[in-house]
Amino acid sequence: MSRTRWRLGLSVTALLTATAVLPAPAHAEDVTDYTITVDPAAGGAAIDDTMYGVFFEDINRAADGGLYAELVQNRSFEYSTADNGSYTPLTSWTVAGTGDVVDDSGRLNERNRNYLSLGAGSSVTNAGYNTGIRVEQGKRYDFSVWARAESGTTLTVTLKDTAGTLATARQVAVEGGWAKYRAAFTATRTSNRGRLAVASSAAAALDMVSLFPRDTYKNQPNGLRKDLAEKIAALKPGFVRFPGGCLVNTGSMEDYSEASGWERRRSYQWKDTVGPVEERATNANFWGYNQSYGLGYYEYFRFAEDIGAMPLPVVPALVTGCGQNRATDDEALLERHIQDTLDLIEFANGPATSTWGKVRAEMGHPRPFRLTHLGVGNEENLPNEFFARFQKFRAAIEAEYPDITVVSNSGPDDSGTIFDTAWKLNREGDVDMVDEHYYNSPQWFLQNNDRYDSYDRNGPKVFLGEYASQGNTWKNGLAEAAFMTGLERNADVVKLASYAPLLANEDYVQWRPDMIWFNNRASWNSANYEVQKLFMTNVGDRVVPSRATTTPDVSGPITGAVGLSTWATSAAYDDVRVTAADGSTLLSDDFSGDASRWEHVGAGSWSVQDGQYVQTDAAAENTLVTAGDPAWKDYDLHVRATKKSGKEGFLVAFGVKDTGNYYWWNLGGWNNTQSAVEQASDGGKSTLLSKAGSIETGRAYDIDVKVRGRQVTLFLDGQQWGSFTDDKPAEPFRQVVTRDAATGELIVKVVNAQPAEARTAVDLGGAKVASTARVTTLAADADAVNTETDTPVTPVTSTVRGVADRFSYTFPAHSVTFLRIKQR
C-alpha cells in the first residue's frame, strides 16, 4: 500500500524523532502514515449514559433453552404443529408404559390447555435442549411439578444419562386435586446428556414439569442462566430493548382466549407473560418453535434493573411486518392494544395500589421499574398504515404519561422508498425518536461512517435498534467498530444503539451473525461482542472534536468478470456480449455450442438447450455461473433473459471478483415484487438501488449494464432503468475522541481495519496530559472467529509511556485500540 506524509503543519522529521510509544515497524511497505488532530478546547456532542445497550429477541432459542434457565423442554406439553410442523404435545418427551396428552376440562387452568395423563406403573422422560440436560457435580437443582391423583400415588423422580444416575432419586407423594410438588437434587456427576424421568406408581395427571439450577443469575426464582446473564451484564448496557423484533409485529393481534379459538400464532402481548408461570400462555414463536413465556415482561424488567439498564419494551402497532405486511382495521382491537400499552406503563411505573402496579408488587417488586421509553411497532413495510396507528398510540400515551418517550421506526432497511416515506412521516409528525434497522456488509459499514453527519440536528433523534455486519469474523467486528466511531461523533443525533441479535444457541440457529453464542455447557463471546464491550465500557461523557487523515488508494474502478444466476427460479439466458469501452469484444456467447466459457460456482442445474443457457432447478437459490476476467473494467454487458418458472426473476452479475465479492442486478427479487442492485462484499450484501417491479414468465428481456469507472448505468429493454456511482471509499482508518468527566481522561479510540500497521502522529492540541496511558487493544487476523475452545479476539491491556501533547503511536494491523490518557 502506498504511503502518505503527515500533514497539518507538523514536521515529519520532528515526529520521527519524537518518543515512540511502540517500536517502529520493520517493513515500511507494511505501514500507512496518518495524523490525528484533537481540539480539546472545542465543545462536542454530549453522550448519554444510555448510548449503547442490548436488544433481546427470542430468536436462535435465546429464551427457552437459553437465557431462561429452565432445563426441561416442553414442560407443559403445549407444543403444537402451529409452532412447528414437526411438533407434537410430546416433543422432547418419551413415554414408557401408557401416557397421553389430554385437552379437557380436567386441565390445570384455562391458559394451560394440555396435561399428561400417566398410567399406573408408567414413566415419562424429558431430553432437555441441545444434547440433553446439563448438570454439574455438586450443584443443586430444583424440581417441581403440578400433579393430581384421585387415589394417591408416588412419583419417583430421577436424573440420569446413559452411564447411570446423576443424582439420588426423589419420591413425591401426590393425592387429591392439582397442587405443586417440589424436590431437590444434588448432582453426583457432571453430564451434558442428562435426562429427567418421572415415574408414577398409580394413575396421575402431570403438568408444568420443571427443573431449574439453584445457581441462577442473582439467585432469582424463575431465573436466568447465570453465565449468559453475566456476559450481558459485563457489557454494562445503558438499556435493554425487548421482546422483539419480528415477535412483536407478526401473527394474530387477537388474545389467547376462547373467543379467538385459543389462537396459537399471536403477536407478543405483554399480558400473556406476567403472573404465575403456570398461568402464562405459550405461543408459536415467529422463528419456528414454541415460546413458553416463562421469561416474560416481569423478568425482562427485573433483569434490566439488575444490570443497571433502562428498560425499553416494544409493543405491536397492529401492522404486521417481517414478510406478512397486513394492517389490522378492527378499531375495537386497536383500542384494546392501546389500552394494553397504557396498562403496561402502569405495570412498570404505577404504585403498588394501582391495578397493574399491584400485579407487579404481587410478583415480588413493589417499587416501580422507572420506564421512560417505549417503542411502538417494528420494521413495518407499510409506513402510511403504520404511522396512522402510531399516532393514536402516541396521543393516548402522551395524554396520560407525557414523560414517556414514544419511539417510532423507519422500516427494515437503511434506505429506499419505505425508509424515505417513514422518515418523512416521522419528521412531519414531530416524532421524538425513530428506530432504524439494517444488516449490511463490512464494506457498507466502512463506507458509511458519515451516515449521520448530515442528519437534521433539530429533527427526530435516532435509535439504532438493530444493526450488524453480516458475519462473526474479526473483519466484521472491525467494520462495526469503524462505524461506531461515527455513531459517537454524532451522539447529538444517535441517542441509542444496540447490536442485534444478542444470543444464539449453536444447535438452533435461525439468524446469523449473533453476539453471544452458547450450548448447554458453555458460552463464548464473538469478535463482535468484544467490540461492543470495549465501546460500551469506555463511552465517555462528551465528544472531543478531532479529525484524521485518510488512507490513499482505497477506491479504484469497478473491476470484475460477469455472471448469471437465479433464485428459486428457472430461467434461460442468451446473446451474452461483453464489449470494452473501445468497442472491442471481450466475450460473445450465443450458446450455439457448449457453455465451456462459464464456470458454475453456485447451486442449481445449468445446461445448453436450444441455443440458450438454461438453469432448470426452480427451487435452487443462488445458482451463479461466471465468465471472463476479474481484471475487466469499463465495459458494456448485454444479456437476453427469459423466465421459465419459479418465484422470482433474473440475477445478472458484473464486477465479479469471486463468489463473495460482486455486484448483481436483481430483477424481480423478493418474491417478484421489486428489483435492486446489490453489492456483495466478503459474502455480505448491501442494496445500492431499488425499485418496485416484477418479471413476466415467458417474456424475453434485453438487459444491459454499462460500467465506467465506478459509475454504472442499467437499461431494461432499451430504456434506462437507473444508475449509481459507487464512489464512497471504504475507509479502514477511523477514530473518535471522547472525554470521561469522572476520571478526567481523554479516550482516543482508533480503528485500523487494514492489513498494514498505521503509524500515526497524534496531536492533542496542547492538552496537558500524563506521560503514561492505559491501552486496550483488540487485534487478530481478519478472518479470525471466536469459538467455544478458541478466542483469538480477546482484549489485551497495557500501559504505554512517552505520551505528550504530541506523540506517535503505531496501531497494529486489523486492530481496535483505546488509549485512556489522563489530563492534568
Side-chain angles (χ1 to χ4, degrees), residues 336-654:
R336 193 267 286 175
H337 276 266
I338 291 172
Q339 184 59 52
D340 281 355
T341 303
L342 297 175
D343 293 344
L344 170 60
I345 299 171
E346 183 176 280
F347 175 80
N349 292 352
T353 54
S354 64
T355 300
W356 287 101
K358 182 180 180 182
V359 173
R360 182 196 68 239
E362 289 173 346
M363 293 183 73
H365 201 286
R367 300 185 314 279
F369 282 119
R370 298 196 298 272
L371 175 68
T372 60
H373 290 63
L374 184 144
V376 175
N378 171 78
E379 292 188 11
E380 283 73 23
N381 284 300
L382 303 172
N384 291 295
E385 292 85 345
F386 160 73
F387 198 72
R389 290 155 182 77
F390 170 83
Q391 288 180 301
K392 293 183 178 181
F393 276 87
R394 182 175 61 165
I397 294 168
E398 289 181 345
E400 197 160 336
Y401 299 102
D403 294 334
I404 296 290
T405 297
V406 186
V407 182
S408 181
N409 76 82
S410 60
D413 299 307
D414 62 273
S415 60
T417 302
I418 294 171
F419 178 88
D420 293 339
T421 302
W423 259 106
K424 181 176 183 291
L425 293 167
N426 285 314
R427 283 191 297 267
E428 292 174 350
D430 197 24
V431 167
D432 289 331
M433 185 173 287
V434 177
D435 187 1
E436 291 190 354
H437 295 179
Y438 38 81
Y439 298 90
N440 288 319
S441 68
Q443 179 161 308
W444 185 93
F445 283 94
L446 293 177
Q447 289 176 320
N448 284 275
N449 176 274
D450 63 349
R451 175 180 176 86
Y452 297 105
D453 291 2
S454 59
Y455 271 49
D456 182 0
R457 285 14 229 179
N458 298 312
K461 302 305 180 186
V462 172
F463 171 23
L464 182 48
E466 296 184 34
Y467 74 99
S469 162
Q470 294 160 336
N472 276 139
T473 68
W474 180 226
K475 64 174 169 276
N476 297 101
L478 285 167
E480 290 153 6
F483 188 72
M484 292 171 79
T485 66
L487 299 183
E488 291 194 4
R489 188 176 65 251
N490 289 284
D492 57 329
V493 169
V494 183
K495 306 305 288 184
L496 306 169
S498 50
Y499 178 101
L502 179 62
L503 295 174
N505 185 325
E506 68 173 357
D507 287 348
Y508 303 91
V509 180
Q510 288 88 34
W511 185 275
R512 298 173 187 268
D514 305 286
M515 186 155 45
I516 300 170
W517 289 77
F518 66 93
N519 50 38
N520 68 348
R521 64 185 176 271
S523 57
W524 56 97
N525 305 331
S526 68
N528 319 67
Y529 174 97
E530 296 298 349
V531 166
Q532 294 292 321
K533 184 179 180 183
L534 189 58
F535 275 84
M536 292 167 79
T537 56
N538 292 277
V539 181
D541 303 286
R542 185 170 291 276
V543 176
V544 180
S546 61
R547 61 187 184 273
T549 53
T550 57
T551 307
D553 302 331
V554 293
S555 296
I558 292 174
T559 60
V562 298
L564 309 170
S565 188
T566 59
W567 199 286
T569 302
S570 173
Y573 295 95
D574 200 358
D575 296 332
V576 179
R577 297 191 305 274
V578 181
T579 308
D582 63 5
S584 61
T585 299
L586 300 175
L587 173 71
S588 179
D589 202 336
D590 63 3
F591 303 106
S592 57
D594 57 25
S596 58
R597 301 182 189 183
W598 297 84
E599 180 183 2
H600 186 187
V601 295
S605 179
W606 289 87
S607 61
V608 174
Q609 299 180 13
D610 300 324
Q612 295 181 312
Y613 200 21
V614 184
Q615 198 292 113
T616 55
D617 187 342
E621 298 179 345
N622 195 3
T623 64
L624 186 65
V625 292
T626 65
D629 188 339
W632 280 351
K633 63 180 180 179
D634 295 340
Y635 57 77
D636 297 320
L637 166 64
H638 171 80
V639 177
R640 171 161 276 214
T642 306
K643 174 180 176 178
K644 298 176 75 67
S645 65
K647 296 180 179 179
E648 305 205 342
F650 317 118
L651 294 163
V652 177
F654 54 97

Side-chain angles (χ1 to χ4, degrees), residues 210 370 405 740 771:
S210 174
R370 298 196 298 272
T405 297
D740 187 331
S771 61

Side-chain angles (χ1 to χ4, degrees), residues 169-193:
R170 295 286 182 252
Q171 291 191 330
V172 177
V174 175
E175 186 169 5
W178 286 108
K180 188 174 184 178
Y181 299 89
R182 295 180 173 85
F185 296 95
T186 299
T188 55
R189 286 191 296 114
T190 294
S191 177
N192 297 316
R193 293 173 171 77

Side-chain angles (χ1 to χ4, degrees), residues 34-298:
Y34 296 92
T35 296
I36 295 174
T37 305
V38 184
D39 187 355
I47 307 174
D48 295 344
D49 292 340
T50 52
M51 173 75 180
Y52 295 121
V54 295
F55 164 49
F56 182 90
E57 179 177 9
D58 188 1
I59 184 174
N60 309 314
R61 283 282 190 189
D64 296 331
L67 184 60
Y68 186 49
E70 173 66 77
L71 296 172
V72 174
Q73 184 175 179
N74 189 20
R75 66 184 178 185
S76 58
F77 309 99
E78 299 290 329
Y79 275 29
S80 163
T81 54
D83 311 328
N84 185 294
S86 67
Y87 282 178
T88 74
L90 282 172
T91 291
S92 199
W93 292 97
T94 303
V95 175
T98 59
D100 297 300
V101 175
V102 181
D103 175 4
D104 64 15
S105 60
R107 64 180 64 88
L108 178 60
N109 58 64
E110 284 296 290
R111 297 173 70 76
N112 195 327
R113 308 289 294 169
N114 292 347
Y115 64 93
L116 179 69
S117 177
L118 194 62
S122 300
S123 67
V124 63
T125 301
N126 190 266
Y129 297 92
N130 294 78
T131 58
I133 293 173
R134 163 75 174 183
V135 297
E136 294 182 52
Q137 184 176 358
K139 294 290 184 71
R140 299 272 288 173
Y141 296 86
D142 293 318
F143 167 83
S144 66
V145 63
W146 282 81
R148 63 174 169 81
E150 295 179 3
S151 59
T153 186
T154 298
L155 299 180
T156 301
V157 188
T158 58
L159 272 172
K160 58 186 179 180
D161 62 12
T162 55
T165 61
L166 295 170
T168 303
R170 295 286 182 252
Q171 291 191 330
V172 177
V174 175
E175 186 169 5
W178 286 108
K180 188 174 184 178
Y181 299 89
R182 295 180 173 85
F185 296 95
T186 299
T188 55
R189 286 191 296 114
T190 294
S191 177
N192 297 316
R193 293 173 171 77
R195 300 290 187 266
L196 175 72
V198 181
S200 182
S201 62
L206 308 179
D207 207 347
M208 294 295 291
V209 184
S210 174
L211 186 71
F212 268 87
R214 180 76 56 87
D215 189 18
T216 60
Y217 184 66
K218 293 190 178 293
N219 298 312
Q220 297 277 14
N222 196 51
L224 306 182
R225 179 170 152 173
K226 190 173 182 180
D227 63 325
L228 294 178
E230 287 178 343
K231 279 179 165 53
I232 299 169
L235 295 167
K236 300 188 183 302
F239 65 88
V240 178
R241 174 177 174 249
F242 63 89
C246 289
L247 303 186
V248 167
N249 68 332
T250 55
S252 170
M253 300 295 163
E254 299 288 346
D255 62 2
Y256 190 59
S257 67
E258 186 175 7
S260 72
W262 306 105
E263 174 61 60
R264 295 284 303 177
R265 298 176 180 269
R266 308 183 306 283
S267 63
Y268 197 110
Q269 300 174 46
W270 77 272
K271 288 181 180 178
D272 286 343
T273 77
V274 297
V277 291
E278 68 273 9
E279 296 177 9
R280 301 182 193 180
T282 71
N283 196 18
N285 182 297
F286 174 82
W287 298 107
Y289 51 89
N290 177 277
Q291 52 189 348
S292 73
Y293 290 146
L295 175 56
Y297 258 71
Y298 175 78

Side-chain angles (χ1 to χ4, degrees), residues 754-820:
Q754 62 188 321
E757 293 179 326
R759 184 170 54 195
T760 306
V762 182
D763 180 353
L764 296 178
K768 297 186 182 301
V769 295
S771 61
T772 61
R774 290 186 294 140
V775 181
T776 304
T777 303
L778 294 167
D781 292 337
D783 294 323
V785 177
N786 283 358
T787 68
E788 179 183 356
T789 57
D790 184 28
T791 53
V793 182
T794 301
V796 175
T797 59
S798 60
T799 300
V800 297
R801 305 183 184 281
V803 178
D805 67 323
R806 293 184 180 185
F807 66 97
S808 64
Y809 193 98
T810 299
F811 296 96
H814 297 137
S815 68
V816 180
T817 306
F818 280 29
L819 297 95
R820 296 190 69 112

